[in-house]
Amino acid sequence: MSVIYDSSTGQYSLHTENYSYIMLEKEGFLLHLYWGEKTFGDCTYMFREQGRAAFSPRMENCDGFILDDVPLEYPCWGRADMRTPALEITNPDGSVIVDLRVKNRRIEKGKPSIKGLPAIYVENEDECETLVVSMYDEVSNISVELYYCVLEKYDIITRFARIVNKGNDTVYINRAASCALDFDHINFDVISNYGTHCRERQIERASLKHGRFIMSSRRGASSHVHNPFMILTSPNADEVSGDAYGFVLVYSGSFSSEIAANQFDSARAVIGLNPENFTWRLDSGEEFTTPECVLSYSSEGLDTLSYNFSRVFRERLCRGKYRDIRRPVLLNSWEACYFSFDSDRLMKIGDSCAELGIELMVIDDGWFGKRDHDRCSLGDWFVNEQKLKGGIKRISDYLNEKGVKLGIWFEPEMISPDSELYQKHPDWCLHYKNRPRSEGRYQLILDLTRQDVCDYVFESVANILREGGISYVKWDFNRNMSEAGSILLDATRGREVDFRYYLGLYSVLERLNQEFPDVLFESCSGGGGRFDVGMLYYMPQVWTSDNSDAIERLRIQYGTSLVYPMSAMSAHVSASPNHQTGHVTSFYTRSNVALTGSFGYELDPTSLSVEEQKMVSETTRLFKEYGEILAKGRYHRLRDPHNEPCSAWCTVSEDKSVCIATYVLTHVRMYGNNERIKLRGLDHDAIYKERFSGVCYRGDQLMNFGLHAPISHEFGSILWILEKVEQ
Ligand code: DGJ
């Protein structure tokens, strides 16, 4: 049993395979006691009222808790806890108090889904046990159910809250976090992702200081800037040792993850919707459910924490037929042609794809409306017959005959002011009456809080897909929200737009998933501007970054690997010199870096030299052979490109019989680079034969001494493929 409630002590114990999460019900409050290596038995002694008043009032006429100094699970604003709350409500009388007390609890088999929102799922009931703690505020008649879903084998606990207005009048939810908890110390390092367009998910690590550390987005998208996850570690934790706690929010809009070190040297984590951008009107009888937050812990450092997250996201968040299979090797037309193509050019590219073994060709931006540049036509999802004579069908038939599939780009959430759609429906975009509409990349965002607009978006994509011949869609989103008003929404609902937008988007994506189960959807937002597990629920891969430079990708991929599965990360070989950075890199290094995620090309195959064509064919063959292992194997970060003049990583198959390892030198130190790369995750006693050199090694040698990496020129690299041989 992974959830145990002891009614004699009030202790709640949640056990996964490798850790325990313990809570205590006392005086009607749900207290956090412990989260760490597995422990059993009575833990109630762990709660000690410390009596640190320090200007913080005591509850219940001085007989109760100093609420500001107890470790809470879902703290509410309004009474005597002055720390960051999880829940803030304005009552009908204008008061801002919520005072929740536990009323009852139930333990259920399986895992509930969350209506309208992406969430972890299970394939059978035995995979999960769910604890639901029901709390109630007698004065405002607000009921809150806290959900704790324990996926024991995955070492995962998920949390979300369901808030119901049982009173007779309307209340306003000003803040509703998905998860909060208090640690009784502040000895943490905080690891976060930060970035910008073309430099996403860089890693920063800093020791926690007093005050609030917040990573967030107010941009109407999870964004390039911060990613919706937070990791806390013990100060000396590394890849293989130390405590590591992780929180990942399953949501694609504005979010906030906060860790605050308080006056009594305790730390509070609060993760959920960004309250700066949110108020929800909850009428009598209505309910509101937060997005889900996914939690994991490892006592063996970051490697295991990343494994826990990547495994559950790949196996129990991603869906559809592509979840478990190697993704097709694709070639995307963007960096090959940008907007300048016609059917002849595309068919020539298709010929090359067929010759080189590339399985899918994607027509990127520019095939619709009158779109020869980025200033027009978003919303006009009909084929530009001048560019594509005979339409998409002619190209797909041509390609299909050669064994190449066709994919296509859309940016369905957007509208160009210069479009037929805007002529007809100038009020379909997010905007406020009598306010200017700021354009980003000459475009506005469609108002997906509206059902008619959602229907239009669904139909425009579905109509093209219904014509047949398309097996892949790249779904782009190229600006963030500003002046995000919806003219149909009541004035009291102005701050609901972000969340309502995502409910609308998720409903469109769900309908598309249902009608087109065989289409592979890839999410994109100027590269990785919406690389989050919310989108992964509908689209199992994401265009990782608009920066396709192999050297820049090292950090981006490293940062992405902290919580995301490698199969989610699209990685393409692009031209050299690179279009974004000008870096000149060998084909070998470019392909070695791209052979980490869902693999493809972002170049013009018709302009390759004979030598390059050979390399493309060979690399494509390698991915076909090892792609499944790269997707499903366990990924290990070996060298950190943020702090070292190189990067290295390896992926080991589930049965440990194959290891694919890569090393890239990013900065030469003269006479200094006598590198040895120690691998991880192999069988100690097994013999592994390296594919390209034929040399055999013992597993323990590969892990304890490592492989020499005698590279002496900048941006040089080595790919090793090690396979177990009979002894
Ligand atoms: C941004 C994407 O990230 C690129 O790959 C490309 O699809 C362009 N948009 C097209 O406008």
Side-chain angles (χ1 to χ4, degrees), residues 314-332:
R314 189 176 60 72
E315 294 180 3
R316 293 293 179 267
L317 180 97
C318 291
R319 300 176 296 167
K321 84 168 196 191
Y322 285 96
R323 186 188 79 175
D324 295 323
I325 57 175
R326 174 183 72 69
R327 310 286 159 75
V329 177
L330 65 83
L331 182 136
N332 184 294

Side-chain angles (χ1 to χ4, degrees), residues 334 339 364-365 371 409 441 474 476 478 524-527 543 546 602:
W334 184 242
F339 290 105
D364 207 282
D365 198 352
R371 187 139 162 122
W409 178 96
R441 207 191 187 202
K474 177 174 171 187
D476 211 342
N478 279 307
C524 174
S525 170
W543 179 226
D546 269 353
E602 195 83 17

Side-chain angles (χ1 to χ4, degrees), residues 24 143 342 419 451 541 572 698:
L24 180 67
S143 121
D342 56 18
S419 66
Q451 189 57 47
Q541 60 190 56
H572 297 175
R698 280 178 56 87

Side-chain angles (χ1 to χ4, degrees), residues 117 274 407 531 567 607:
L117 287 173
N274 190 337
F531 202 127
S567 54
S607 64

